[in-house]
Amino acid sequence: MSSKYNVFNLIRQGLQGHTGWQAQWREPELKSTYDAVIIGGGAHGLATAYYLAKNHGMTNIAVLEKGWIGGGNSGRNTTIIRSNYLYDASAAIYNHALKLWTTLGRDLNYNIMMSHRGVLNLAHDEGEARTLKRRVEANRLNGVDSEWLDAKQVKEFCPPISIDEDMRYPVIGGTLQRSGGVNRHDAVVWGLARAADALGVDIIQQCEVTSIRTDAGEVTGLETTKGSVKTPKIGSVAAGHSTIIADMVDVPLPIESHPLQALVSEPLKPLIPCVVMSNAVHVYVSQSDKGELVIGAGIDPYVSYTQRGSFDIIEHQMASLMELFPIFSRLRMMRQWGGIVDVSPDASPIISKTKVKGFYINAGWGTGGWKATPGSGHVFADLVANDTPNAIAAPFSLERFVTGDLVAEHGAAAVAH
Amino acid sequence: MATSDKLSETLADRPDRLSALSHRSPLTGDDGLLMREATHLGKLVLRLAETEAETLKIKALEGAGLPTQPCRSSVSHTGTVSVLWLGPDEWMVVSQAGTEEALQTRLHSELSGRHFQLSNVTDYYTCIDIAGHQNREILMNLSTLDMHNRTFSAGQIKGSIFGHANAYVWQLHTEPGASEIFRLIIRSSMADYLWCLVSRSARLFGMPEDTPISGEKLVI
Amino acid sequence: MATSRQKSGLRTEQGGHINRGKPIHFTFDGKAYQGFEGDTLASALLANGVHMVARSFKYHRPRGIVAAGSEDPAAIVQIGPDAVETDPNTRVTEQEIYEGLMASAQNCWPSLSFDIGIANDVLSDFIPAGFYYKTFMGPPLSWMRFEPIIRKAAGLGVAPTNRDPDQYDSTNRHVDVLVVGAGPSGLAAAKAAADAGARVILAEETNSLGGALLSEPEDSVSLGGKPSDAAIEKMAADLEANPDVTVLTRTTAFGYYGDNFVGLWERVTDHQAPLDRGKHVPRQKIWRVRAKQVILATGSLERPMVFDGNDRPGIMLAGAVRTFLNRYGVLCGHKAVIFANNDSAWATAFDLQKAGSQIAAIVDVRRKISGELLQMAAERGIPIFAGSAIVGTKGRSRVTAADIRLVDETGAISPKSNWINCDLIATSCGWAPNVALFSQSRGKLYYDDDLQAFRPGASWQQERSVGAANGSYDLQDCLDEGRKAGAAAASDTGFKKRIPKVLKASHSMLLQTDLQIIPQVPSPKVAKKVRAFIDLQDDVTTKDIKVAIQEGLHSVEHIKRYTTTGMGTDQGKIANLNAFAFIADHLGKSVPDVGVTTFRQPYKPVTMGALAGQHVGAHFMPRRTTAMHPWHRAQRDVIFEPVGDWLRPRAFLRDGEDFQQAVQRETKAARTGIGVLDASTLGKIDVRGPDAREFLNRIYTNAWSKLSPGKCRYGLMLKEDGMVMDDGVTACLADDHFHMTTTTGGAANVLGHLEDYLQTEWPDLKVYLTTTTEQTAVASICGPGCDRLIADLLDDLDPDPETFKFMDWRDAHIQGIPVRVFRISFTGELSYEINIDASYGLWLWKKIFAQAKCEGGGYDITPYGTEAMHVLRAEKGFIIVGQETDGTATPIDLGMNWIVKKSGDFVGRRSLTRSDTSRDDRKQLVGLVTEQPDYVLMEGTQIIATQEEGTAPVPMLGHVTSSYLSPNLERSIAMAMLESGRSRVGQTLYASRKGDSAMAVRVVGTDFLKEREDGNI
Amino acid sequence: MFVIDCPWCGERDMSEFSCGGEAHIARPEGSEQMNDEEWAQFVFIRKNSKGRYAERWNHAAGCRRWFNLLRNTATDQILAVYKMGDAEPNVSTEEPVTPSGEAPIGSGNDAVKLMKPGEAL
């Protein structure tokens, strides 16, 4: 690793005009053989590589990214971190991730600006309250921090929320996960890349996989725009493009890729102290350290790979936001963008072996993958290294769609963000 | 719910019968802008195969055929019955208040033997008529339909979304020189929402703004 | 040379498109100023000698006005008299002044001139790009400790504190041709398209038509023989007179989306004094335009020079200086230095001088300059520094001097400093076509080596770029291109009428020629001391970009994100190209090889309230109400429950009662007296056709072949994954005719689901569906002996339960009005549902109460709400889809095997036999009774096996789906989904409770009334 | 946000329609004979193609008819609209250059498309 990041080095470099900082990761040539190849240089892919190298000693591995690392959903999400999921399997993986998040910055020697400022999930009617309380109860027994707040407590925790009873969707309460929060997505990507690189992982950007070679049902290598590679193990972490990668080895996936939009406001002085999520009116909002309100919008109901969504989704999003935060009306939307989310039928991820030996899939995170990043990478690395899912990953196999043992988080009305 | 023609006529006049917008009064704005509910118009949904509709002559419709050209309507000789195209195998028969039961009976007997469906939706929908030369502009605030007179002319009927409510908009046939009238056919339960949204859009043209009924206590 | 300059003032005595007859008073940062009608806040402040208006984002450095339009990077202020109507981050170059306007500086404390935050600037050596990532990782410098401090320092303006009093509108338009930008090419395009007969919208961002022509000196350009002002006026008048043309000023095309959908944002009243704003006029308006053809005439944007010390107030774009002078009659300085790499800035020098400013120098990096220009400058006595550059500046809140030196071919600069005093530096690094909207339309850009800028290449949508937006900088070219494009666009939409001849311009304006880019002006300082700003709002210097590259961030997107260049409220409109050029230069690549960051929507920030439009507050979403709603509302104290979009009464409170007491009373009344429920909201679908039975067989889990007319049956509908989707009672009206009911919230879904199967899977089935939900109002009357009341009500039907059996229906009349009566029950009590045409719903409802209370009636009748309904059905063990089920329950899980037919396919059938779905240890529906009869479990409570919770993770066996205090059972009851639930009947388990020991519960059957009869409770 | 040319009502804003996912997936007959895997294939597996993609749409706010629509999911360009039961029409479109690549123009991804030197304007 290049020089350690700390305040002393920062001052030293400041005095030298910052000419001494080294590249955070190398730009290596693609080698002809790797012990494993991870397809997809987003945060999940880089985390997988990082843990493969760190925990499993697999350092002759490569991460192949068709564009620039972190340019997909990693660089496009609203960075909400929480683990208050209903089912045991979900709570286990997201809470595993949350624990890793709390020290990830230190582990990587990279400040990922992890801010445990709390995540509020609002309830607007009895049905929602019932569902959320069920979650709080399950969370408590699963050791996930989560509590129920009444409307007044919601207002105390986040003063700009309107709890006016005359609203179309009045706030009757909500849940709070105090350990939830937000972080800086780019920093996570760069920190993981820097740490993985330091362990010897080759991060190859502008390198698109064009086909995968198999022999007798086993992975033997792959072709890329930068040449061919021999490898016995491939982990696909390609988010919205998962189907396309899996198609290369004829592994059908229960996944559809949809555009999801997000937007930010102009920067403002501190306005809301936490993350606020509302399922009923479809609002997900927090304020970045730069002062921008970061707002998650809706998913378009059709398959698209364009990273562009519909304008009316943004309009509806704004109307919803005004319902919860009437004081936002005079603020301005500064930038909007879209990502391609890989949606699975039960709104839970797929972390699985496939019928092709050596081909592993990590996909289906839908609109909520960011929060799982280190957990996802950690357990997927385990799977790739050992060829067996560990206890946390096991419930998320592809098999469940055949047997019917789904982890139906959307059925439980959990907001997937 | 079959009943005699005579009875239904008397029923229509009963004061106890309330339309969905009976709590609203007609509103007027500048330059003849007018909005009011057209109450209790008879409305029947007729479903029938498109192929049959093309050739079928239904006496009960008094000369109004089943239009097979999308988004078109037809009118009876008397001008009292209109048939609106809602879909390739779906029409709405609009008639004068109180006549729907009798019409339904006649249609039923005329169509018997065929595969069809006839449903009385008189109370399912109500109608908001908007007259005056700004009415197209007002509707543009509510829907993505092209309301220009090049693309929306008298007799046309289109289903769309108005604000957040599904509804049909139908341009009535009016006398030459008379003010154009657009008729919104809207579900009764959402009528107040759309009424208020129309009045809000019309506020720029001098119409008073009605606000949706609200204030119900939702929180214990 | 004649000058018309006031001795101390900066306002010219004549000229400009302002109304000198109408002075306007306003304040900035508490100080009173005067401007004229037609001024922007920027021009009015500059006329008062105020350049510094803001502090930058990161280092809190003084920021002045740089540009004259929406591209200005950092001159943003807070507008508004109070915290309610305040508008943060408002660009002074766009805000028009009005009488009483109050503006104030933001992002500074205690004041604009003395800002504590400047400490960041002093420490700037230690806070380079990526600074945060390198520290605050853990003890003792933890991020959570520092974050609040940083958050307070970051952010620019302050949000309002109260609800916005203003209204916003949005509207839709379909046009043949949308023209964006009303400069010479846009005007020509709109005119040509309109003359051909097309429907046209012309959208102009500023308050007047004319574009770049407005920045020319008065009467200096003529079009078709008329002075440009008059020519523009004529064109505007022609357009206005055409009923198929809409001209919108103060309107920005902010987003170009799919299929030629363009969002326009009109600021309707922002330029008016509050008292002048029409009462019903929206503050702002979104125009949602669907255009058959789009013409982009969005002009070009000038790039500033990047050099050490280039961020001081008073350092402006040369074109902007000229706009302020000629459009607004404002001199931006008394003593100016021009710094350029192309011809256009020389015009600024000549105009300024003519208006009375002293031109201290024209500094041009080019060694070869046209003889004509040199001669013009010489005639005017302006000192020329060719092959030279400004390599440093002085001044705190305003530039005071520039260091001008020779630069040789190698980039080396002459060693001797040459400071020249000045109060204005006007820079130009060339002009770049404004391709933001083109790029949003997903067209392909093309890098033009002559312009050193990107131009529109191949279009993707039905779009044409014209004039400066297309890289055509000559006035006549702009007019010609516009006219041609307008005519062609109209022709493509079917309007082929011949259009008038070409408009001839008197002469070409002095435009950019012989551009010579130097990505960064060299500096005599050591590298680390050089502060040449690329992004003036976010304080990104060339040094920051160098650090990013050195640290291995080589993609333009990475560099953008690492340094935040182009990420401010201006989105880098004038900064981005300089950044790309600098990166390219530093990496030894060409600009197109480096690439471009995305031009995202919106083109400039758009008010969220405007985007929400009219769909806020009372108009946010439709609220559906039943025919009986007026009666419900009129009751003194009613709590309502939103169900889907419907509003249903939840409980009718009587004097002194609280909610729970009311529910207990209502629930009791429905089993002991007579209860009446408004059940109108249930979904209703008319199903008719010879194959209707077969259709029902396929979409419900049970069999429908034998149900005879006059009878009803309960049905359960699954999705293909085997999970319960909806339920309801369906009545057989005739052999081929059924009346289906659905849940209140599921009605629309079910109809969609059924139509989907009919139209796409089974088009051979002869069945028609029509929704009739709102056609009928429904009063559900239940309670022992309610048949007597029903008998009193009905004209012609004996409801005797012996003859009118459970699950029968009959037609009848009440006072001659037809009704349909169903003997179905959701409570387990004797119960009738009366369906009546909705227009009689309220009458029926009142009639029921009148009948019950009339003489000889004397029924104990109680209206009850949805909460009592929930308790009643739970007492009987009936499920509510969406409460007991959550999309993960099969009929088997719910203990409803009886409703799943033994043979024949139906939607979802195959999923029930999957290996994990058919296991018998799945969660199953059971009843629970608590050890303490008066203790009501919280819905959502988890069930565990032991009284002691132990430490997490605690194995959970299931959860409580419904839980009530039952007045009829005189104890609490609950339903739960429990692992292997049915085999646990009789077991004692525990309901976990936060902060309390778990409550013992006994597993029982779900029909509590029966359980009591059987002695189990 | 595209315009959809409803086979009956003509061009209307997308907001009037609802998308029903991939087209041409017939509900299997004789599902009792299918194994779990085959059944899962029908219920859950979708092609999710990048490029040409046939899907079902419903003109929910208009004529309520279902129809098929052929769209390029890499650019959102609509290639054809055809009725239920009709076969997928053979319309050519600019497919992504590589399996996961972008269409040469019109893709929302990597939003700024640059022309190569010498590429015709």
Side-chain angles (χ1 to χ4, degrees), chain A residues 125-378:
Chain A
D125 61 42
E126 288 304 313
E128 275 196 298
R130 185 184 306 120
T131 310
L132 288 177
K133 285 177 180 170
R134 176 183 167 198
R135 256 212 274 162
V136 168
E137 289 295 300
N139 289 157
R140 180 168 56 80
L141 296 175
N142 267 325
V144 175
D145 105 76
S146 182
E147 61 201 275
W148 173 259
L149 305 184
D150 64 24
K152 252 178 77 186
Q153 292 169 312
V154 165
K155 178 90 181 160
E156 272 163 29
F157 194 75
C158 185
I161 293 182
S162 166
I163 57 164
D164 191 342
E165 294 187 356
D166 277 346
M167 303 298 266
R168 176 69 170 77
Y169 294 96
V171 173
I172 63 169
T175 66
L176 171 63
Q177 182 172 26
R178 292 182 191 272
S179 58
V182 290
N183 55 18
R184 171 99 179 95
H185 51 11
D186 290 328
V188 172
V189 170
W190 299 333
L192 284 167
R194 175 167 166 267
D197 176 89
L199 293 168
V201 175
D202 283 356
I203 297 165
I204 318 280
Q205 302 187 73
Q206 307 292 337
C207 180
E208 190 181 337
V209 175
T210 52
S211 65
I212 294 175
R213 284 196 308 270
T214 56
D215 185 22
E218 287 187 33
V219 163
T220 58
L222 41 75
E223 299 295 328
T224 78
T225 49
K226 288 192 168 178
S228 23
V229 175
K230 273 191 207 149
T231 185
K233 292 184 176 205
I234 294 175
S236 169
V237 201
H241 280 78
S242 295
T243 308
I244 290 151
I245 301 299
D247 278 351
M248 294 177 183
V249 283
D250 291 326
V251 170
L253 291 183
I255 282 194
E256 287 190 307
S257 298
H258 294 269
L260 173 74
Q261 298 179 85
L263 57 111
V264 294
S265 75
E266 295 182 327
L268 297 150
K269 291 295 173 198
L271 186 56
I272 58 166
C274 58
V275 181
V276 179
M277 311 176 70
S278 161
N279 215 7
V281 298
H282 272 294
V283 167
Y284 321 102
V285 59
S286 65
Q287 192 173 14
S288 75
D289 288 325
K290 211 181 157 190
E292 297 154 347
L293 296 169
V294 183
I295 300 160
I299 181 171
D300 277 288
Y302 51 87
V303 168
S304 179
Y305 287 85
T306 60
Q307 293 182 339
R308 296 280 182 102
S310 312
F311 178 61
D312 46 12
I313 288 197
I314 298 287
E315 288 175 302
H316 186 65
Q317 192 67 25
M318 290 299 104
S320 304
L321 197 63
M322 296 315 125
E323 183 74 359
L324 268 189
F325 298 96
I327 65 167
F328 287 3
S329 171
R330 300 179 83 87
L331 308 180
R332 303 188 194 100
M333 164 171 96
M334 181 169 84
R335 191 168 62 233
Q336 67 168 104
W337 64 91
I340 314 166
V341 295
D342 39 335
V343 178
S344 74
D346 61 355
S348 286
I350 296 163
I351 306 168
S352 185
K353 293 167 70 168
T354 63
K355 63 179 187 186
V356 178
K357 188 167 166 43
F359 183 77
Y360 309 92
I361 185 93
N362 182 351
W365 293 94
T367 58
W370 180 254
K371 66 178 80 68
T373 300
S376 159
H378 192 262

Side-chain angles (χ1 to χ4, degrees), chain C residues 681-694:
Chain C
T681 59
L682 284 188
K684 305 171 197 79
I685 299 170
D686 193 66
V687 183
R688 188 170 192 270
D691 297 321
R693 283 177 194 278
E694 173 58 18

Side-chain angles (χ1 to χ4, degrees), chain B residues 11 17-18 47 49 116-117 121 123-124 140-141 143-144 146 148 150 189 200 203 216-217, chain C residues 167 169 171-174 199 244 280 624 629 633 640 686 688 755 768-770 774-775 839-840:
Chain B
L11 292 184
R17 193 175 185 202
L18 290 175
R47 301 204 56 180
F116 74 100
Q117 182 183 39
V121 292
D123 287 356
Y124 188 105
M140 286 183 218
N141 278 19
S143 105
T144 58
D146 186 351
H148 193 273
R150 281 181 195 157
S189 69
R200 186 192 185 281
R203 76 193 190 285
E216 285 91 350
K217 196 172 166 192
Chain C
Q167 288 192 324
D169 273 1
T171 191
N172 298 280
R173 286 295 184 279
H174 292 257
R199 265 197 276 170
D244 278 327
H280 298 296
R624 303 172 70 183
H629 191 70
R633 265 180 74 92
F640 286 86
D686 193 66
R688 188 170 192 270
E755 276 288 359
Y768 285 124
L769 307 172
T770 295
E774 301 185 27
Q775 175 62 23
S839 53
Y840 291 107

Side-chain angles (χ1 to χ4, degrees), chain C residues 539-581:
Chain C
D539 289 328
V540 181
T541 65
T542 52
K543 201 165 63 185
D544 291 316
I545 291 181
K546 277 190 214 164
V547 168
I549 292 171
Q550 177 191 322
E551 292 198 68
L553 297 138
H554 293 171
S555 153
V556 65
E557 286 284 352
H558 278 153
I559 296 167
K560 176 186 95 173
R561 285 155 181 264
Y562 200 68
T563 63
T564 71
T565 190
M567 294 185 81
T569 61
D570 62 319
Q571 294 286 286
K573 288 185 181 61
I574 63 170
N576 286 347
L577 196 51
N578 278 336
F580 307 148

Side-chain angles (χ1 to χ4, degrees), chain B residues 56-82:
Chain B
L56 197 63
K57 293 252 184 306
I58 306 174
K59 281 189 223 120
L61 297 179
E62 299 166 0
L66 300 182
T68 49
Q69 201 187 342
C71 308
R72 292 285 166 181
S73 63
S74 64
V75 192
S76 66
H77 303 310
T78 52
T80 54
V81 178
S82 297

